[in-house]
Each structure stands twice: as structure tokens, then as C-alpha cells.
Amino acid sequence: MADPAVAALNSLLREASIDDHAEALELATAAVRSNKIQGPDLASAQHTRVVALLKLDRYDDALRVIAEGGDALEKDCSFEKAYALYKTGDLEGAEAVLQKTGVDTGKSQRGLKHVAGQVAYRNEKFERAAAIYRDLKDDAEGANYGEENDLRINLTAADAQLQWQGKEWAVPEGEKQPAREDLEAFETAYNAACICISRGDYTKASVLLKRSRDLCEATEDLNEEEKKAELVPILVQQAFVFTKLGKLDEALSLQNAINLSEVSETSTKVIAQGNKLLPKATANPFIAERLARALPKIEGNDRLFGFQTAALQRNKNVIDLQAQKFEGKEIRAHKLLAGAQVPDLSVSKVDLGVAGAAAATKCGDGKPTVRQLLPLLEKRPNDIGLLLTIIQLYIQISTLPPAILLLEKFFTRLEEANTPEHVDVRFAPGLVALAVSLYRSQNRQRDVRNELAKAAAHWRSKTEAAGAGSSIAREAGIELLRSSHPSDLAAAGEAFEQILSAQPGDRTATAGLVASYATTDFAKVEPYLESLPSVEKLTQGVDVSALIDAGVALLTPPSSQQSKKRKFDGEGAAPEKEKQQPAKKPRKRKLPKNYDPTKKPDPERWLPLRDRSTYRPKGKKGKKRAQEATQGGVVKEEETLELAGGAGSVKVEKAGGGGGGANKKKKKGKK
């Protein structure tokens, strides 16, 4: 006779749906504890017990039951174990279980693929998550009812995260812009808004968030409590967008509308509280610093993503600097960055380096700050945040050559290290873009071409990171196409081939590849010719006759270079007299106040005063000088006599003829 507990359990399992999971757990537990069942009945009871625990959100208990059931139960409950590990935050353990099950093979593993996508998403492996969701979307035969909408929601979320990570190349062109289907559900509209935010398109994001909010409030699939829970992240994101658009009043109104006590997710609560710190930091940074330290700590699976954590920490660094906590911030930055053997390009470490530089100089700027930071860079040579801060200061004071020299020295040191980690940092897209921008500001086109060519060659050699160098390959290909040298054109073709291998159908890369090999290797060009628009399509709607009749368009020369000759009308006759600007009215001459037109002007008015005939000097000395003047007077002749013994010389009046006897006497000099 069958055990009553087993009979009750089988009766429950035969029902179309089970709503009372606590009852199912109770019956399954009673059947397992009964010693009268063996084999399939025991396995079914154990499996039912695990599923009931998952339905009741008792994930730790489910893992304990699976471990007690032995290897056979663990093999049968691979899906349940992976899901329980995912919900408890043990993502590495969940990945290990999924790898054992061979999740990438077989149509029967559809449920496991969903779990694998969720695990990859929470583990910030968004490329793998997006690939899994695309595979499930393409395999529509085994899909359940309503699964297509869920897949679209998850795929758009993964695309948004990829763009936040700076991996636009991993998102197909057709998924970068919102489609009509994305506006039909509030989840997809929200994810489409997140994609726009990741690109910096806040205006479009604002429209999509409003659409998402309206759809969420109007849906009939959720009750009021569920609607409130779904509206919280939408309102938080709306407040952020309004802040970026400069609409601070609207942002503050939305932030005040959020009741944080009703928010169940700790991560959402932390983001909402962090965004509220902005107006407080502007008004009183000390209060904002105190509130920042009071933010709740996130534990378990409900945690922030990497870019969210970095943004929150960056805000805390800025608030600490505003609160003048310079010494503590400088000590922390030096402690974490001084011992680094390889430069770290992570956002958190770069932000910490910038904050440490600001703390060391007490938020100074100008040349004194640069002189203060250069010795610090010698102590922390692998601090990229500090390096970028110094370069930015050089740019602010319009001193670009030292900035270029500093960056080139950093590149040289990385190349001399000759390790894969150092070389990857050397050709990091952000640093390469900085070098190219500095070179272009100095019109050093050859250095721009060489830098892009070397970076493209490096990323082309790393097959496992072919997509990571797509942006560099694109810029390198475009730059090398401007050269007429065969080797540069060949390098450009290789760069565009790398892009097409990662992003098939890229029209820019296709056109660049055709332009690169058009004159050297037609065999490589021929497969892509059909994908390019024809000449007839490009020239469709162009009136050639009208262009010929209009002639060649010429730029209007500056006014200083325009010819003053009359224009020719083409028929041999001069054109009609053009309207000329009225001549300026001659300015009326100003005359002295005492001017009398009847009096004749003094003819000597142009001579200096002392040279005029009417000049009479004043004083005794003046009259004496006037008597000695040559104008109408007797010219006295003088001679210079040398004194004996080298005592000097003296001027005496030269004796004239016809004088008295006294004048004939010779003056005696001193002996």
C-alpha cells in the first residue's frame, strides 16, 4: 500500500497549477522523511521540495537540500542549483554549474541558457549575455508564450550596459537606435532610454523615459504596489536626465516624489540618495559629506554595476575635496597607487589619481600647480590619473609641447617594459586618442599617422580582442587613406578588414576597404562592390544641366581682396550703375576762438618763438645772451691760449687792429 504522504504529493503534482507552494513543500518534506519510498518517487519528492523552496525565495535552504540529496539529485537539479547560486550572489559558483551542464549545446537547455544569460549579465560579461539572448531569440521554435518580449527586454538591457562600458562596437547597428517595438512596453522603452543616456543623448532619453512612465502607470498587468516598485528606477533615471539637461527644479521635484522608505532594492535606494547629494554639495559640502558617509552598504546579489560604483565613488571624492579633506584623500591615493607595478586603466583608479592630485595641490591650477605635481609623478610613475591631470593643466595654460613630451616619455617607458600588460596600456584607445588630439593641435600629421598605424597593428595582432580595437582601426584606416603611399594604403585595407571581421555590414569599413584596394588588389574589392550604393543611386535627383548652367561656385574673397573694377555683364556693355554708398560729409575745420579773418596771419608763426624777430628775452642773463647773439651784433673773436706747465688753457678775446695802446699789450701767462 502506498504511503499517504506520497499519495497526497502525487495528487498535488497532477493538478494543472500549484499556487500554494508552502503546501507543496510540506507534502514533499513528509514524503522524503517517510522511509517507505525509494527510487523515482524519492527523486520526485526531493525535486519538488527544491522547487518549492525556490518559489518561496528560500534559496539557501534549497542549496542545502540539494547538497543533502547527493550527486544524483545535484545532477537532476542543475538548473535549480544554478538559479539558487545566482540569487544568492555566488556568480562564480553558478558559472561553474552551468559549464558542467554544457549550456551552450542542445535545444533542451533553453532554461539553463536563460540562467546563463542572467548570470553573465550580473557578472558584467555583457557581450556573452547579449550573445546568449540573440541565440534564444533566433531559436523561436522552442520559445514559450511571452518569452519573445522578455528576450527583447533583456537584450536591450545588455546593449545599454555595453555602451556604458564603451563597447559600442559590440552592439549591432540595428540595435543602437530604438525601434517601434521598443515603445510598446515600459521595460523596453526604459532600456532604450538607457542606451540614449549611455551615448549622451539626454533629450531623446527624456522623451523615452516619459513614454516608459506613462506605459507603466497605464498597464493593467501590475497591481498598485508593483507599479510603485517599477516606477522608482524610472523616476530616478528621469531625475538624473533632468539634472544633466540643467533642469534642476524638475529634477528636485522628482527626487522629492520618491519615498525611499518604500524602495525595496538597496541599489536603487543608494543611487537615489546619491543623486540627492548634488544640490546639498553645492549649498553646504560639509552636510553632503556627512550624508555620503551615511549611504547604506550593498550586500548580496543586489549590488551596483561597475560604472555605477565608479560614479558614486567619484561623487564622494568631489564632496570630500569640497569639504577640504585634502590630507586624508592624498594619503589614501598615495597608499593605493604608489606601489602599482602596471598602470591601471580602470575608471576607479584613474578617478582616484585625479582626486589625489587635486588634494595634493588643494585644488590649485596654473604653472605653480604643475611644478608641484611633477615631482609627485616621479614617485607614482604608473598613476594615469595624475598624468592626465598634469597634461590637462598644461592644456589650460596653453603649453602643449611639454604636455606632448610628458606623454611621449610615458609611452617610451611602457614600450621599454615589453610586457603584454604594459603594451596594452600603451595602445589603450583613450591614450592613443589623447596623443592624436595633441599632435593634431600642433599640426603634426605624420606623427598622427604613425601613432594610429602602430595602435591598429597592435590590436590587429590580438585576435581575442579584435573588437576592442575597432575604433582605433577605423580612425587609422581613414587617416592612412589620405596618404598615397602603397604601404599606407595596404595598412588602411588591413584596418578596415579587421572592422568587417568584428562588424560585418559596416558601410564605412566596406567603403574604406574598397578605396584601399581599388588600385592594387581588385580581387579583395569585388565581393563588396554589390553592397555599396551604385553611382546612379548616389546621383539620383541631381540635375546635371542645371549644374553646368550655374557654373563653378567660387568663394567670395575677403573685402580687402575684392577688385575695384567694374563687373562685366557678358554682352560687352558695362552694367548699370550700382548703388553707391553716399559720400561722407567733410568735417568742418575748427578755428581758434580769437580768430579774426580781417587780420593778416603772422608770417613767422611757423618759426620757433626764440627765432622770431619779436622775441625779447626776460632777465639780465637773457639780455646778455641776446647782446651776444649774432643777429645784428658785433662778432667777438676769441682764441685759446695754452698755459705753461700743462696747467690747462684759457679763452681770451682776440686783439683787433686800430685800437689804443692798451690793446697792444701782450697778456702774460703764468710761469
Side-chain angles (χ1 to χ4, degrees):
M1 184 177 179
D3 188 90
V6 177
L9 178 61
N10 292 334
S11 176
L12 179 65
L13 295 177
R14 281 194 294 267
E15 294 182 4
S17 61
I18 301 175
D19 297 327
D20 192 350
H21 304 294
E23 181 185 0
L25 176 61
E26 183 180 355
L27 294 176
T29 304
V32 169
R33 291 177 178 175
S34 174
N35 296 327
K36 297 181 180 180
I37 61 171
Q38 297 291 333
D41 291 339
L42 178 60
S44 177
Q46 289 175 330
H47 198 173
T48 303
R49 188 183 180 192
V50 171
V51 173
L53 289 170
L54 294 178
K55 290 290 186 178
L56 295 171
D57 296 339
R58 295 170 57 180
Y59 305 110
D60 292 325
D61 293 337
L63 291 173
R64 178 179 52 79
V65 169
I66 293 173
E68 293 174 354
D71 296 339
L73 180 61
E74 184 176 356
K75 185 177 180 180
D76 292 339
C77 297
S78 298
F79 171 83
E80 289 79 4
K81 182 177 181 180
Y83 182 75
L85 290 171
Y86 158 70
K87 295 298 289 186
T88 56
D90 189 0
L91 302 179
E92 288 73 14
E95 281 189 345
V97 174
L98 292 169
Q99 288 178 358
K100 289 181 180 180
T101 60
V103 68
D104 296 328
T105 61
K107 292 184 178 180
S108 60
Q109 305 293 328
R110 192 172 186 88
L112 284 171
K113 282 188 176 181
H114 275 282
V115 177
Q118 292 293 333
V119 170
Y121 184 84
R122 284 304 313 174
N123 214 14
E124 302 192 28
K125 298 179 180 180
F126 303 116
E127 293 177 68
R128 173 170 169 75
I132 292 173
Y133 292 137
R134 290 192 188 99
D135 290 341
L136 290 170
K137 188 178 179 182
D138 295 338
D139 184 18
E141 295 179 0
N144 298 322
Y145 176 77
E147 186 178 348
E148 182 180 359
N149 185 46
D150 293 340
L151 287 173
R152 187 169 189 83
I153 294 171
N154 293 340
L155 182 57
T156 53
D159 289 342
Q161 294 284 1
L162 283 171
Q163 297 209 62
W164 260 314
Q165 282 188 339
K167 297 180 179 179
E168 295 87 354
W169 49 267
V171 181
E173 291 294 331
E175 298 177 6
K176 289 183 178 180
Q177 297 296 335
R180 184 181 297 273
E181 295 82 1
D182 295 335
L183 304 179
E184 297 177 356
F186 73 90
E187 299 96 337
T188 52
Y190 174 81
N191 290 337
C194 292
I195 292 177
C196 294
I197 293 173
S198 65
R199 293 199 308 265
D201 190 356
Y202 299 110
T203 303
K204 186 180 292 186
S206 177
V207 176
L208 292 170
L209 286 172
K210 185 179 183 304
R211 174 68 175 174
S212 176
R213 182 178 178 181
D214 294 340
L215 290 173
C216 183
E217 291 176 344
T219 185
E220 297 178 355
D221 298 333
L222 303 175
N223 57 37
E224 292 302 321
E225 294 298 326
E226 292 173 339
K227 284 183 182 181
K228 288 182 180 180
E230 294 291 347
L231 280 172
V232 169
I234 299 175
L235 295 176
V236 171
Q237 205 71 287
Q238 269 190 310
F240 171 76
V241 170
F242 282 144
T243 303
K244 298 296 288 186
L245 291 174
K247 301 178 181 179
L248 300 182
D249 294 336
E250 291 88 336
L252 185 60
S253 176
L254 286 174
Q255 289 172 353
N256 294 332
I258 301 173
N259 189 357
L260 296 177
S261 61
E262 297 179 356
V263 179
S264 58
E265 295 181 354
T266 309
S267 58
T268 306
K269 186 181 296 185
V270 168
I271 294 174
Q273 289 180 332
N275 291 341
K276 273 190 173 182
L277 295 177
L278 176 62
K280 291 183 175 61
T282 306
N284 192 329
F286 299 99
I287 294 179
E289 189 271 335
R290 186 175 180 181
L291 293 175
R293 285 191 286 109
L295 291 176
K297 294 183 179 180
I298 301 176
E299 298 177 354
N301 197 32
D302 184 20
R303 59 186 180 184
L304 296 174
F305 290 101
F307 76 94
Q308 293 173 327
T309 304
L312 190 63
Q313 185 59 46
R314 188 185 307 120
N315 292 343
K316 289 182 179 180
N317 291 338
V318 174
I319 292 173
D320 288 343
L321 293 174
Q322 290 178 337
Q324 300 182 10
K325 299 180 67 175
F326 300 124
E327 185 177 357
K329 188 62 61 178
E330 182 183 1
I331 293 174
R332 182 173 181 271
H334 187 77
K335 181 179 180 181
L336 294 177
L337 299 175
Q341 300 298 322
V342 179
D344 195 340
L345 287 170
S346 63
V347 178
S348 58
K349 292 298 179 64
V350 174
D351 288 345
L352 182 60
V354 175
T361 60
K362 293 179 173 57
C363 299
D365 57 2
K367 290 184 179 180
T369 303
V370 174
R371 288 194 292 266
Q372 188 176 356
L373 290 178
L374 287 174
L376 187 61
L377 184 61
E378 296 179 358
K379 298 179 182 178
R380 302 205 302 257
N382 292 324
D383 187 352
I384 294 182
L386 177 59
L387 173 71
L388 296 179
T389 302
I390 297 175
I391 292 175
Q392 179 65 28
L393 290 172
Y394 274 130
I395 294 173
Q396 287 180 351
I397 61 178
S398 301
T399 312
L400 296 183
I404 296 175
L405 181 61
L406 188 67
L407 185 61
E408 288 177 341
K409 287 182 178 179
F410 179 72
F411 284 167
T412 302
R413 187 169 56 81
L414 293 178
E415 292 173 355
E416 291 175 352
N418 199 25
T419 63
E421 293 81 7
H422 286 84
V423 177
D424 286 346
V425 174
R426 163 64 181 88
F427 294 110
L431 294 178
V432 172
L434 174 61
V436 169
S437 178
L438 292 174
Y439 286 145
R440 281 179 176 163
S441 66
Q442 299 293 295
N443 200 23
R444 295 168 58 173
Q445 296 300 326
R446 180 175 295 180
D447 292 329
V448 169
R449 195 172 301 158
N450 292 338
E451 180 69 18
L452 288 172
K454 290 192 295 184
H458 167 74
W459 289 109
R460 191 164 54 248
S461 64
K462 297 178 72 66
T463 55
E464 70 278 4
S470 296
S471 59
I472 292 180
R474 188 184 303 274
E475 292 297 325
I478 295 173
E479 184 67 31
L480 291 171
L481 272 180
R482 297 174 182 171
S483 173
S484 58
H485 199 276
S487 61
D488 291 339
L489 294 177
E494 293 177 357
F496 289 123
E497 284 180 336
Q498 176 189 353
I499 299 174
L500 287 174
S501 64
Q503 305 176 36
D506 190 300
R507 300 182 66 180
T508 303
T510 303
L513 188 143
V514 171
S516 303
Y517 293 123
T519 58
T520 57
D521 194 347
F522 187 75
K524 290 185 177 181
V525 172
E526 191 172 7
Y528 299 98
L529 293 178
E530 295 182 357
S531 61
L532 294 177
S534 62
V535 178
E536 291 77 10
K537 186 175 181 180
L538 293 175
T539 58
Q540 185 179 4
V542 177
D543 192 345
V544 180
S545 301
L547 291 176
I548 295 175
D549 295 339
V552 180
L554 298 176
L555 294 175
T556 304
S559 58
S560 60
Q561 299 179 3
Q562 290 182 355
S563 175
K564 296 182 180 180
K565 295 183 179 180
R566 293 184 303 167
K567 296 181 180 179
F568 184 68
D569 63 353
E571 298 180 359
E576 295 182 2
K577 188 175 182 179
E578 298 179 357
K579 293 183 180 180
Q580 298 180 355
Q581 294 181 355
K584 292 183 178 180
K585 188 176 181 180
R587 188 175 58 181
K588 187 177 180 180
R589 297 179 179 274
K590 293 183 179 181
L591 298 174
K593 293 181 179 180
N594 300 328
Y595 175 73
D596 188 357
T598 60
K599 289 184 180 182
K600 185 179 180 181
D602 185 5
E604 295 182 353
R605 63 185 182 277
W606 310 114
L607 297 177
L609 185 63
R610 60 173 39 189
D611 292 342
R612 300 179 189 179
S613 58
T614 58
Y615 175 68
R616 295 291 183 269
K618 296 180 181 181
K620 296 181 179 180
K621 293 183 179 181
K623 293 179 179 179
K624 184 177 180 181
R625 284 195 297 269
Q627 292 175 359
E628 295 176 354
T630 60
Q631 193 173 15
V634 179
V635 179
K636 296 181 180 181
E637 296 184 3
E638 295 180 348
E639 61 178 347
T640 303
L641 300 178
E642 299 291 337
L643 300 179
S649 61
V650 63
K651 288 183 178 182
V652 297
E653 185 179 346
K654 190 176 181 180
N663 293 332
K664 294 182 181 178
K665 290 184 179 180
K666 186 177 181 181
K667 286 189 176 183
K668 296 182 180 180
K670 293 182 180 181
K671 295 183 180 179

